[in-house]
């Protein structure tokens, strides 16, 4: 009788142990490699910042991180992949203002809504751009630029790295505020556009300061203004576009950010945000971001609010420019 009782107790204890063990033994996040998807080819600014994010997460979460470049449709292909993934923290997006705000206004084939279908983890950096003129254009500053184009509506052209890109919207905002007529020439990327600008085949362009630097040094282009609200420390002699009376209030910078599919569990979101903030406070990390031509975020900005605000800005500009793909 005693043996029988002990046997039943042992079986019950074993059963209870089996019921509890799987819950107790579940590993914490992350328990397997994290994939960070980047919607652009290797070597560009989004890729450079995305790899900084990957290094931050690998270090501060002691995780194995795999970076995957999946270019297409100005980042939309990669973003759609992340949006469609399981919200478990193992497929994440290192993206830009293009696919996380701008493209929704111009790409009718885009199935996701960035403001609803992503869990914002954090803003990583601002991506300032520069309004430049080719050396052949007879202007030295913003006043001369506005006067020249107003006097010659439709005569001059500007290049952008693609329809619906942040530089495209940035240039359309110049046209809208100053009441200018300039023909848009879209390119498949910044490299061919910059080459044409330097060669005199297009008159103006919006490009990153990093891409502009060598052309400014050899005199093939001229810097007229930056798209940020304030001047850039590395280009103190170049005014912010908004300093000009015809462009008062101008401010439209691109940005880089980190996001996950919607409904990411709060505990996983908290871990990722803590890791990102820790990384952005590291001077070495901030230096790497600056080397890509971007301005590191402070870590306390609301990415969710930025997405919504910029989506409204881009929608307004898309309507103004009649941009639809």
């Amino acid at each position: 009788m005693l043996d029988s009782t002990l046997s039943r107790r042992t079986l019950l204890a074993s059963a209870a142990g089996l019921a509890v063990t799987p819950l107790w033994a579940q590993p914490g996040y992350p328990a397997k490699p994290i994939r960070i998807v980047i919607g652009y080819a290797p070597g560009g600014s989004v890729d450079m910042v995305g790899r900084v994010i990957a290094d931050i997460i690998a270090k501060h979460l002691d995780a194995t991180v795999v970076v995957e470049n999946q270019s297409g449709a100005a980042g939309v292909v990669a973003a759609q992949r992340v949006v469609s993934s399981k919200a478990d923290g193992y497929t994440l997006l290192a993206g830009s203002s293009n696919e996380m705000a701008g493209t929704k206004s111009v790409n009718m084939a885009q199935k996701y809504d960035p403001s609803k279908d992503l869990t914002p983890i954090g803003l990583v950096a601002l991506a300032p751009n520069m309004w430049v003129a080719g050396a052949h254009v007879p202007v030295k500053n913003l006043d001369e630029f506005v006067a020249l184009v107003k006097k010659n509506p439709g005569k001059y052209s500007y290049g952008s790295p693609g329809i619906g890109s942040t530089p495209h919207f940035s240039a359309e905002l110049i046209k809208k505020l100053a009441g200018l007529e300039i023909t848009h020439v879209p390119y498949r990327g910044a490299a061919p556009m910059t080459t044409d600008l330097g060669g005199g085949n297009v008159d103006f362009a919006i490009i990153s300061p990093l891409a502009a630097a060598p052309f400014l040094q050899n005199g093939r282009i001229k810097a007229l203004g930056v798209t940020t609200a304030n001047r850039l420390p590395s280009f103190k002699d170049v005014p912010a576009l908004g300093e000009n009376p015809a462009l008062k209030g101008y401010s439209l910078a691109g940005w880089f950010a980190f996001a996950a599919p919607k409904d990411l569990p709060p505990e996983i979101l908290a871990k990722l945000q803590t890791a990102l903030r820790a990384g952005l406070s590291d001077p070495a990390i901030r230096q790497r971001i600056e080397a890509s031509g971007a301005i590191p975020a402070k870590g306390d900005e609301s990415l969710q609010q930025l997405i919504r605000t910029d989506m409204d800005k881009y929608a307004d500009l898309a309507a103004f420019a009649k941009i639809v793909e």
Side-chain angles (χ1 to χ4, degrees), residues 11-31:
L11 287 171
L12 288 171
S14 298
L18 287 171
V20 172
T21 298
L23 296 176
W24 174 84
Q26 277 195 2
Y29 174 83

Side-chain angles (χ1 to χ4, degrees), residues 13-297:
S14 298
L18 287 171
V20 172
T21 298
L23 296 176
W24 174 84
Q26 277 195 2
Y29 174 83
K32 61 181 182 180
I34 296 171
R35 296 185 182 278
I36 294 182
V37 185
I38 300 172
Y40 302 85
S45 56
V46 184
D47 178 69
M48 291 171 70
V49 174
R51 289 175 188 277
V52 171
I53 295 171
D55 288 346
I56 289 172
I57 298 305
K59 176 181 177 181
H60 292 280
L61 290 186
D62 192 23
T64 298
V65 177
V66 179
V67 173
E68 295 186 359
N69 295 83
Q70 188 172 7
S71 58
V76 170
V77 172
Q80 185 63 60
R81 173 184 167 187
V82 172
V83 163
S84 303
S85 298
K86 186 177 179 181
D88 57 4
Y90 291 104
T91 303
L92 306 171
L93 177 68
S96 73
S97 50
N98 287 346
E99 69 275 19
M100 294 179 69
T103 53
K104 184 63 176 173
S105 298
V106 300
N107 188 347
M108 297 301 102
Q110 182 172 318
K111 298 178 182 178
Y112 68 91
D113 183 332
S115 67
K116 298 176 181 177
D117 298 323
L118 288 169
T119 297
I121 297 170
L123 181 68
V124 179
L126 292 178
N129 284 307
M130 186 177 285
W131 181 242
V132 299
H136 65 285
V137 184
V139 297
K140 301 185 190 71
N141 54 50
L142 287 172
D143 284 335
E144 292 181 0
F145 153 68
V146 172
L148 178 71
V149 177
K150 274 189 176 293
K151 187 178 179 180
N152 301 276
K155 177 181 177 180
Y156 292 96
S157 62
Y158 81 86
S160 85
I163 294 173
S165 64
T166 297
H168 182 193
F169 283 121
S170 298
E172 290 300 318
L173 184 56
I174 291 173
K175 289 171 58 177
K176 181 181 180 182
L177 292 178
L180 305 177
E181 291 183 33
I182 315 174
T183 302
H184 176 223
V185 181
Y187 287 82
R188 291 188 175 183
M193 176 196 71
T194 309
T195 299
D196 267 11
L197 179 68
N201 296 318
V202 68
D203 304 309
F204 302 98
I206 290 273
I207 60 177
S208 74
L210 191 67
F215 292 87
L216 291 171
Q217 290 168 1
N218 63 26
R220 294 176 68 186
I221 64 174
K222 294 173 280 191
L224 301 181
V226 294
T227 62
T228 44
N230 301 302
R231 297 190 183 203
L232 302 177
S234 53
F235 291 91
K236 292 181 180 178
D237 294 334
V238 181
L241 288 167
E243 293 179 31
N244 188 274
L247 297 166
K248 186 177 180 180
Y250 186 102
S251 178
L252 188 62
W255 39 265
F256 305 115
F258 192 31
K262 68 177 181 180
D263 299 327
L264 185 70
E267 63 274 15
I268 295 178
L269 175 60
K271 283 190 174 185
L272 289 166
Q273 288 179 325
T274 298
L276 184 62
R277 281 194 296 268
L280 290 175
S281 68
D282 183 341
I285 289 293
R286 298 182 73 82
Q287 189 173 40
R288 283 180 62 189
I289 293 173
E290 289 168 354
S292 73
I295 302 171

